[in-house]
Amino acid sequence: MRTICFYFQVHQPFRLRRYRFFDIGLQHNYYDEAANQGIMRKVADKCYLPTNEILLELIEHYGDRFKVAFSISGVCLDQFERYAPDVLNSFQRLAQSGGVEFLAETYPHSLAALCEGDEFERSVKRQHARIQELFGQDPQTFRNTELIYSDLIGARVAALGYTQMLTEGAKQVLGWKSPNYLYHNPIEPKLKLLLKNYQLSDDIAFRFSNRGWNGWPLTAEKFAQWLSALPPRDEMVNLFMDYETFGEHQWAETGIFDFLRALPNAIFTHTDFGFQTPAGVVASHQSVGALHVPYPISWADEERDLSAWLGNDLQNEAFRNLNELAPLVQKTNDADLQRDYLYLQTSDHFYYMCTKWFSDGDVHKYFNPYETPYAAFVNYMNVLSDFQLRLRAATPTGES
């Protein structure tokens, strides 16, 4: 039997309030509490709660035949506890169902894997511990922020003990190869790689409600037919997408929830595919070979590179200033400073500074609180300046 791996990313950043130059040194509350709470409740009611209920119903109905996987950032878990404990409870019910695998990632949904030092390892271990605490699982699968991956990043992930990792099935690294097979890291062959089939994933995540798309309307039966038409040798299809696809990016009125409810039956009726979690995929399939990824790739935009986060001078200046503070943060025992440093690492802050407005422009506008990339940069750097003053005041004299 061939395999479908359904994986969902769950993440919301702590958005910053409008922080002026004149606030530096005087105001240390950086977060827009009203916006963060309002957006979390909005997405909870439109997406998280109804979709979790559907998945729980499907798992109870189909038993071991239906499985999914989640990666939930630590900053999102913090917001669940603060603003939406009912959502956290619903994810815990899913964990108890036996049909869900929870993945490890960086706690703040950060770009730390691109940096030297051990901040990446520290934040991964922190999120791993939270998954164990809240869901009773010991993650074996890793999903890096924005599916960012390279050979060297994979080696770091393997050194942390993970045996499989998700990433993008980017054309520039696959070439003639198909994403519908299992691969492995060339430096650490024990780390297996599951590649996103972005064509079929984006049919659901981005094109589902597009009436100008030649695949509209997309029904569960039509999607099953597309799967059945894949080459018989294709062993798996990895459908990776933001969880907000259901109810938020694609509103309930589009029929997205009906599609999700009907999909397992259509798959079982019309194809030779079954559902598995990433760990299940690796347990039941062999790698067909090493996948060489010398430079980092991601899911984003047509380029599938890092330019959505580190593609201009604003982003790189902010990122450099942030990372220079890591040694000082590790020297302080101040819990507030450590928390703020985590939240300031979230990749969304750099995404808001993106100056790319091409075919993927609407993606960059999602819940973006700023009018311009420059406004995002100025606001972030004001916050970072205040954070640096607090950090240096808390650091023992003579250390820098």
Side-chain angles (χ1 to χ4, degrees):
M1 178 179 289
R2 298 191 285 176
T3 303
I4 293 172
C5 181
F6 239 142
Y7 150 78
F8 306 114
Q9 172 66 38
V10 186
H11 168 65
Q12 290 294 331
F14 275 99
R15 293 165 183 83
L16 303 176
R17 72 176 180 86
R18 296 305 170 97
Y19 194 89
R20 302 171 303 164
F21 173 80
F22 299 103
D23 291 329
I24 298 172
L26 299 176
Q27 300 290 335
H28 309 313
N29 56 320
Y30 304 143
Y31 312 106
D32 190 333
E33 191 77 11
N36 290 324
Q37 182 175 11
I39 290 172
M40 174 55 71
R41 280 313 325 175
K42 174 177 178 284
V43 181
D45 293 336
K46 293 183 66 177
C47 169
Y48 301 148
L49 292 173
T51 315
N52 281 2
E53 191 63 32
I54 291 171
L55 292 181
L56 188 58
E57 291 172 2
L58 292 173
I59 292 169
E60 291 175 345
H61 180 75
Y62 291 106
D64 289 342
R65 299 176 68 197
F66 183 73
K67 298 176 183 291
V68 298
F70 288 100
S71 180
I72 309 178
S73 68
V75 291
C76 194
L77 291 171
D78 288 352
Q79 291 192 63
F80 287 164
E81 289 191 327
R82 183 177 302 184
Y83 307 127
D86 50 342
V87 173
L88 181 58
N89 290 338
S90 70
F91 276 110
Q92 289 173 327
R93 290 197 298 274
L94 280 170
Q96 295 164 4
S97 73
V100 175
E101 178 184 355
F102 288 89
L103 279 54
E105 66 160 90
T106 60
Y107 194 97
H109 199 75
S110 73
L111 305 176
L114 303 173
C115 305
E116 296 180 355
D118 64 355
E119 184 62 33
F120 173 69
E121 286 77 9
R122 288 161 57 92
S123 67
V124 171
K125 291 176 181 178
R126 186 182 183 118
Q127 192 263 357
H128 189 121
R130 285 284 273 160
I131 296 299
Q132 291 178 310
E133 172 194 356
L134 294 173
F135 304 116
Q137 292 191 16
D138 183 23
Q140 302 301 309
T141 304
F142 189 80
R143 186 270 191 194
N144 196 26
T145 306
E146 318 298 358
L147 292 179
I148 292 172
Y149 174 81
S150 69
D151 294 339
L152 292 177
I153 291 173
R156 294 178 75 174
V157 170
L160 286 167
Y162 298 103
T163 52
Q164 51 269 346
M165 183 172 177
L166 313 186
T167 190
E168 179 73 20
K171 289 181 180 179
Q172 66 262 40
V173 297
L174 278 173
W176 57 268
K177 297 176 183 177
S178 168
N180 300 335
Y181 295 92
L182 189 67
Y183 296 89
H184 64 260
N185 179 280
I187 301 173
E188 294 287 351
K190 64 183 179 181
L191 183 74
K192 303 304 186 293
L193 302 175
L194 288 81
L195 308 184
K196 174 184 171 183
N197 184 311
Y198 66 80
Q199 179 68 46
L200 290 170
S201 297
D202 291 355
D203 286 343
I204 301 173
F206 293 113
R207 289 183 280 273
F208 184 85
S209 60
N210 181 2
R211 291 173 177 260
W213 172 45
N214 60 11
W216 187 89
L218 181 58
T219 64
E221 290 73 19
K222 182 186 292 186
F223 195 79
Q225 291 171 4
W226 292 349
L227 291 171
S228 185
L230 291 171
R233 292 185 178 181
D234 284 13
E235 297 179 351
M236 66 190 66
V237 173
N238 298 314
L239 301 173
F240 302 165
M241 61 196 72
D242 286 346
Y243 202 34
E244 290 83 6
T245 294
F246 302 96
E248 178 57 45
H249 298 327
Q250 309 294 339
W251 291 3
E253 292 80 0
T254 67
I256 191 68
F257 290 132
D258 295 331
F259 173 85
L260 181 60
R261 284 192 183 92
L263 186 60
N265 182 64
I267 298 296
F268 297 141
T269 302
H270 300 294
T271 79
D272 60 348
F273 281 89
F275 292 86
Q276 263 297 355
T277 63
V281 169
V282 171
S284 58
H285 293 81
Q286 297 294 318
S287 169
V288 298
L291 184 70
H292 294 272
V293 186
Y295 304 105
I297 58 173
S298 77
W299 70 267
D301 302 339
E302 296 178 352
E303 299 86 354
R304 301 295 197 272
D305 60 12
L306 304 181
S307 57
W309 302 275
L310 299 175
N312 63 43
D313 291 342
L314 302 178
Q315 293 167 313
N316 283 288
E317 176 71 8
F319 191 60
R320 181 184 63 80
N321 278 269
L322 172 74
N323 292 321
E324 287 178 349
L325 300 178
L328 285 179
V329 173
Q330 294 186 19
K331 292 176 182 178
T332 180
N333 293 320
D334 189 308
D336 289 338
L337 286 170
Q338 292 177 350
R339 178 207 63 203
D340 288 341
Y341 190 67
L342 281 172
Y343 292 174
L344 289 173
Q345 290 182 63
T346 300
S347 66
D348 302 65
H349 300 310
F350 306 97
Y351 207 53
Y352 299 146
M353 303 175 199
C354 183
T355 51
K356 295 168 59 177
W357 299 102
F358 301 109
S359 60
D360 300 282
D362 286 343
V363 178
H364 298 286
K365 298 175 185 175
Y366 177 65
F367 284 149
N368 187 339
Y370 302 101
E371 296 83 4
T372 67
Y374 182 72
F377 171 76
V378 169
N379 201 70
Y380 184 84
M381 293 303 291
N382 285 343
V383 169
L384 199 62
S385 295
D386 183 81
F387 177 80
Q388 184 174 359
L389 291 176
R390 292 169 55 212
L391 182 60
R392 294 194 180 280
T395 303
T397 302
E399 296 187 5
S400 61

